[in-house]
């Protein structure tokens, strides 16, 4: 999560290939903070409800955004940020 780290993750072809394999195999994968919106949503890797850092700009990228701190939707785990 975080910026500009999430943008770097989004642009990492090896990472996106791994995430796509995880999705296809129905194995767990996840992201926190900005990454659910910037990485997962932009690469069509969210298959239901998800959460992210509570920013309107990020939330708009997730079709079914939740205000929950952590969301588990099928094999995708997302969080607003690290637990304190």
């Amino acid at each position: 999560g975080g910026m500009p780290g999430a943008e770097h993750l989004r642009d990492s072809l090896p990472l996106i290939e791994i995430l796509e394999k995880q999705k296809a195999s129905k194995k767990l994968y996840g992201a926190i903070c900005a990454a659910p919106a910037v990485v997962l949503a932009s690469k069509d890797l969210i298959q239901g409800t998800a959460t992210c850092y509570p920013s309107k700009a990020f939330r708009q990228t997730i079709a079914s955004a939740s205000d929950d701190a952590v969301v588990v939707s099928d094999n995708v785990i997302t969080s607003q940020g690290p637990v304190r």
Side-chain angles (χ1 to χ4, degrees):
M3 296 297 278
E7 293 170 323
H8 297 300
L9 294 170
R10 176 199 62 211
D11 298 338
S12 170
L13 294 179
L15 174 64
I16 300 307
E17 288 175 3
I18 290 168
L19 292 171
E20 288 172 344
K21 287 179 185 176
Q22 291 295 100
K23 179 181 176 183
S25 299
K26 300 200 184 301
K27 293 184 179 179
L28 291 175
Y29 60 95
I32 66 170
C33 195
V38 176
V39 180
L40 300 184
S42 72
K43 301 297 182 180
D44 195 33
L45 293 165
I46 295 176
Q47 304 154 146
T49 303
T51 194
C52 65
Y53 182 80
S55 154
K56 185 176 180 180
F58 291 148
R59 295 291 172 113
Q60 291 177 344
T61 67
I62 298 173
S64 183
S66 169
D67 290 328
D68 293 341
V70 176
V71 172
V72 178
S73 182
D74 295 322
N75 57 318
V76 182
I77 304 167
T78 54
S79 175
Q80 291 183 355
V83 177
R84 295 184 180 147

